[in-house]
Amino acid sequence: MRIAVLPSSNEIATLVADMYSELLAKKPNAVLGLATGSSPVPVYDELVRRYEAGDISFADARAFLLDEYVGLPVDHPEGYRNFIERVFAGRVNFAPDAVVGPNGQADDVEAAASEYQEQMESAGWVDLQILGIGTDGHIAFNEPGGSLTSPVHTQVLTKQTREDNARFFDGDISKVPSLALTQGLETISHAKKIVLVAEGKQKAEAVAQMVEGGVSALWPATVLQFHNDVTIMVDERAASELKLIDHYRAVWDAQ
Ligand code: F6R
């Protein structure tokens, strides 16, 4: 893992957008992995800025979302397909149907999970995946206590995740769905390159466990220790519980 401790979300957004820009310059038909939630929003704003400046194009790219709530109405603004359309996809030039997510409205969600895994495999998996991390150490919606080798699957959300996400649902946890469809940890591990972004003190314990903890179902993000191309970009507060922080700074500065 490469760890970058950066002063603010501006620097994080610039460096992650550089990774997307470099990929698309080399491979215009790249497969992008998109996360929802608040962490990647500054990255998406920066990518939109570059698109509007004519520096980057998504015309030939495809994108897969990490996850989707199960049971929200198709037009619910917090459905992740709608969220990504609003904050990113609808603001750049993806082709129609180029951005897809798991089908949280399917009658048979287990079948929808398998179909999504197959769709990703047929696309040759993701070239560059952006991730956030939950305060309980989840990536996508892989909650603690699950398999470290799961494909796309249905996931019961923890109380902590539903509390954290209640801010998107008028602060009312009862409005946050309790079930989601999510890429599994095995699905995510197929991504050729991964960048995870985290900001704020509330992420510090999860970040320290992910980078320095023992690999365990208790902290699902620890599975990223097995991936050979992961960059973690964090602000000072999210980095504040890392024991080897001085070493990570030295390694980052040396590259
Ligand atoms: C979203 C997702 C989640 C979030 C995580 C952090 O697609 O997969 O793992 O990345 O819950 O959410 P924020 O960024 O809102 O703190």
Side-chain angles (χ1 to χ4, degrees):
M1 280 180 175
R2 285 174 295 278
I3 322 292
V5 183
L6 297 160
S8 75
S9 58
N10 280 348
E11 281 81 1
I12 295 175
T14 301
L15 289 179
V16 179
D18 287 350
M19 293 170 78
Y20 279 93
S21 299
E22 276 162 34
L23 171 65
L24 288 165
K26 263 192 264 159
K27 186 177 179 185
N29 64 346
V31 181
L32 311 180
L34 304 178
T36 48
S38 41
S39 306
V41 171
V43 174
Y44 297 145
D45 285 341
E46 174 60 17
L47 289 172
V48 170
R49 196 193 63 71
R50 292 180 191 201
Y51 162 70
E52 286 172 349
D55 297 337
I56 187 171
S57 171
F58 299 88
D60 298 319
R62 298 178 63 179
F64 287 96
L65 301 193
L66 282 172
D67 41 19
E68 182 58 274
Y69 292 114
V70 169
L72 285 182
V74 71
D75 57 353
H76 194 291
E78 296 309 328
Y80 281 168
R81 183 63 190 80
N82 297 329
F83 177 94
I84 205 74
E85 190 66 21
R86 186 169 70 246
V87 305
F88 179 47
R91 301 167 67 201
V92 297
N93 63 336
F94 281 108
D97 303 326
V99 180
V100 291
N103 182 1
Q105 279 93 34
D107 290 333
D108 183 346
V109 280
E110 301 300 337
S114 306
E115 275 161 30
Y116 196 58
Q117 175 91 5
E118 281 159 23
Q119 214 178 341
M120 292 187 65
E121 183 168 13
S122 309
W125 304 112
V126 161
D127 288 301
L128 174 58
Q129 175 68 57
I130 185 168
L131 295 175
I133 184 169
T135 56
D136 65 359
H138 70 231
I139 51 174
F141 270 142
N142 292 277
E143 297 284 33
S147 162
L148 296 179
T149 59
S150 50
V152 179
H153 62 284
T154 53
Q155 174 72 59
V156 174
L157 301 180
T158 61
K159 184 160 175 277
Q160 188 174 333
T161 295
R162 293 179 68 224
E163 276 167 6
D164 288 346
N165 287 5
R167 69 191 194 282
F168 298 113
F169 292 84
D170 310 321
D172 182 353
I173 187 174
S174 72
K175 292 186 182 168
V176 184
S178 51
L179 194 66
L181 262 172
T182 183
Q183 287 188 34
L185 296 174
E186 179 263 348
T187 323
I188 294 169
S189 73
H190 286 291
K192 294 170 190 80
K193 193 183 267 291
I194 294 176
V195 57
L196 184 144
V197 296
E199 289 174 43
K201 182 72 190 153
Q202 74 281 9
K203 300 289 174 77
E205 185 185 13
V207 167
Q209 289 290 343
M210 166 177 65
V211 177
E212 297 175 337
V215 174
S216 153
L218 205 52
W219 293 95
T222 54
V223 79
L224 296 178
Q225 293 175 25
F226 287 124
H227 194 285
N228 70 355
D229 194 344
V230 178
T231 306
I232 310 289
M233 299 210 187
V234 285
D235 69 1
E236 296 281 349
R237 292 164 305 155
S240 59
E241 291 183 28
L242 288 169
K243 292 190 178 67
L244 303 182
I245 188 164
D246 293 339
H247 175 62
Y248 305 138
R249 288 188 208 277
V251 172
W252 185 259
D253 290 346
Q255 69 176 5

